[in-house]
Structure formats: structure tokens, C-alpha cells
Amino acid sequence: MAKPIKITPVLKGQDAVNFHRNLKTSDAVKVSKEVLVAIRKDANKLKSLFKHRK
């Protein structure tokens, strides 16, 4: 059976303008190298846990 279609909200007027402005500003955010290294370390730890379970 097909899933029912969900109603998608539509942004209009000032809400749409604010949404697009927030998208542009969030794209410009830079992440420090220390944070990226920490994320990679955590990801490698998780991968190693799943490798040992098999």
C-alpha cells in the first residue's frame, strides 16, 4: 500500500525571506579544525565498535 501524502507547509512573505536569509548565513559558518578532528575521532571509535560486533 502507498503511504499517505503529508501536507507540506509553504512559507510565504516575510517567513520565506527570513528562511532564505538564515540559509545563506548558515552556509557561511566555518568550523574549526579542532572540532573536525574531534568528530573524526569519535566516528572512528564508533566504527571500531561496530567492526568488533561482527
Side-chain angles (χ1 to χ4, degrees), residues 32-44:
S32 68
K33 289 183 180 181
E34 293 83 18
V35 172
L36 291 175
V37 169
I39 291 171
R40 286 186 186 126
K41 285 181 182 177
D42 291 342
N44 287 333

Side-chain angles (χ1 to χ4, degrees), residues 42-54:
D42 291 342
N44 287 333
K45 288 178 186 176
L46 283 172
K47 283 181 187 178
S48 68
L49 286 175
F50 289 118
K51 286 180 183 177
H52 292 297
R53 285 189 170 186
K54 288 184 179 180

